[in-house]
Amino acid sequence: MNSTIRERIQQNKSKKSSQNKIETIMPMLFLLMASISILVTVGIVFTLFSETLLFFSEVSFIDFITGTEWYPFFGNNPSFGIWPLLSGTFTIAAIAMLVSIPIGLAAAIYLSEYASDQNRKVLKPILEVLAGVPTVVYGLFALTFVTPLLQTFVTDLPIFNALSPGIVVGIMIIPQIASLSQEAMNAVPQSMRDGALALGATRLEVALKIVIPGSLSGIISSLVLGLSRAIGETMIVATAAGSTPNLGFTPTESIQTMTSYIVQVSMGDATYGSTIYYSIYAVGMTLFLFTLAMNLFANHISQKYREVY
């Protein structure tokens, strides 16, 4: 009997020793994983910054941020004014948000306030599948289906335009806006809904006057993150928007965005080490700063208007 007790005591000591080792190793492993992600981010920023400095050693920074013409392939007289690429990017993003905001918020309200559990189980996976479609497929969809469809209404619409990819980018970010907004709405306590209903409010009034104000920080964050996704979209605009860097906000014309220009040059249109080659890093840094600003703004809004329940 004493030997049995000793064996059990020894087994317990072994288990505790193993647990202590795991408790010591796991925090170090988690720290390593977190450090890797931080180091990768630092490496990306360092690469963008260092290569961008090489570009600005050959091109004036003032001309870059104030110029209204972007013609890097014009032989001995290239122009590197970023505004045509910015206008193309913002045009796509504006059209995308006009499409995604009403549909995404309507979907979130329906899933959160109106859908039964059975309907929610069906619709939620459909949204997730829509979010998983490769962007190159969206680009081909915009080029071969949406553009011909729009040409039946706008007869002089060229094959490459901003309207078609803008609409499809909006469709692409609907799941993100709907999902994040629904999660924010679900965080509103049920007691607030029940109280409003007890006072005679309709379900629509509850959704518009109770749930949306109560989840406003999460909704705004989802919209800003969706905008960041629209600004950074690549394959859809590279496939269906064309490659004409026009300054303006005309959706029926061919345009070029920052991301589509990066794709164009990366495909081998520029010699390694040339000014055109380094220009993609300057454009990439501009895009990085815009998306960083969007994310910081979303975080600020989320913290400012966060409701504590």
Side-chain angles (χ1 to χ4, degrees):
M1 184 174 180
N2 290 335
S3 61
T4 303
I5 294 175
R6 291 195 195 95
E7 289 177 0
R8 290 181 178 178
I9 293 174
Q10 188 65 31
Q11 289 176 356
N12 290 335
K13 288 182 178 179
S14 299
K15 289 182 180 179
K16 289 182 179 180
S17 177
S18 300
Q19 290 176 353
N20 291 334
K21 290 180 180 179
I22 293 175
E23 291 295 330
T24 303
I25 293 174
M26 291 310 296
M28 297 174 62
L29 181 61
F30 292 146
L31 177 61
L32 178 62
M33 296 297 102
S35 300
I36 289 175
S37 62
I38 294 173
L39 290 175
V40 169
T41 303
V42 171
I44 292 173
V45 174
F46 175 77
T47 301
L48 279 175
F49 185 75
S50 59
E51 301 295 331
T52 300
L53 288 180
L54 292 176
F55 172 76
F56 286 124
S57 66
E58 301 179 10
V59 176
S60 170
F61 176 75
I62 301 299
D63 293 340
F64 179 77
I65 63 174
T66 61
T68 58
E69 293 184 344
W70 183 268
Y71 298 116
F73 298 99
F74 267 28
N76 296 326
N77 189 28
S79 299
F80 291 97
I82 193 64
W83 279 103
L85 299 184
L86 289 176
S87 67
T89 301
F90 293 150
T91 300
I92 294 291
I95 296 172
M97 298 309 291
L98 288 175
V99 172
S100 61
I101 289 177
I103 299 176
L105 290 182
I109 292 172
Y110 176 76
L111 290 173
S112 175
E113 305 302 317
Y114 289 93
S116 63
D117 291 339
Q118 185 64 32
N119 290 339
R120 194 176 294 112
K121 289 179 181 178
V122 173
L123 294 175
K124 193 72 169 170
I126 293 176
L127 282 175
E128 293 173 355
V129 169
L130 190 63
V133 175
T135 56
V136 66
V137 175
Y138 277 118
L140 295 174
F141 173 70
L143 183 64
T144 61
F145 179 80
V146 178
T147 297
L149 181 63
L150 292 175
Q151 287 175 334
T152 61
F153 302 98
V154 185
T155 55
D156 58 344
L157 185 70
I159 188 66
F160 296 109
N161 58 84
L163 185 59
S164 173
I167 292 173
V168 175
V169 170
I171 294 173
M172 180 193 67
I173 62 178
I174 285 173
Q176 179 180 11
I177 292 177
S179 179
L180 295 177
S181 297
Q182 185 207 355
E183 291 178 3
M185 293 176 185
N186 288 340
V188 177
Q190 184 63 35
S191 59
M192 295 180 65
R193 296 178 173 87
D194 295 338
L197 292 171
L199 292 173
T202 64
R203 294 179 70 180
L204 181 60
E205 289 175 330
V206 171
L208 297 180
K209 297 181 179 180
I210 302 298
V211 176
I212 289 182
S215 56
L216 187 61
S217 64
I219 292 174
I220 293 177
S221 296
S222 72
L223 298 182
V224 175
L225 292 175
L227 177 60
S228 299
R229 177 76 187 276
I231 290 175
E233 174 50 38
T234 303
M235 291 308 300
I236 297 176
V237 292
T239 303
S243 56
T244 308
N246 289 321
L247 178 60
F249 298 93
T250 306
T252 56
E253 294 182 354
S254 173
I255 63 168
Q256 188 171 47
T257 65
M258 291 185 284
T259 53
S260 61
Y261 172 75
I262 293 173
V263 170
Q264 177 189 2
V265 176
S266 299
M267 294 297 290
D269 287 352
T271 304
Y272 176 81
S274 63
T275 303
I276 298 175
Y277 171 80
Y278 288 123
S279 68
I280 66 174
Y281 291 97
V283 174
M285 176 60 77
T286 305
L287 180 63
F288 172 78
L289 292 176
F290 270 104
T291 54
L292 177 62
M294 290 292 107
N295 288 320
L296 292 176
F297 178 71
N299 184 65
H300 170 71
I301 292 296
S302 178
Q303 295 296 328
K304 184 176 181 179
Y305 296 100
R306 184 183 300 276
E307 296 284 349
V308 180
Y309 301 110

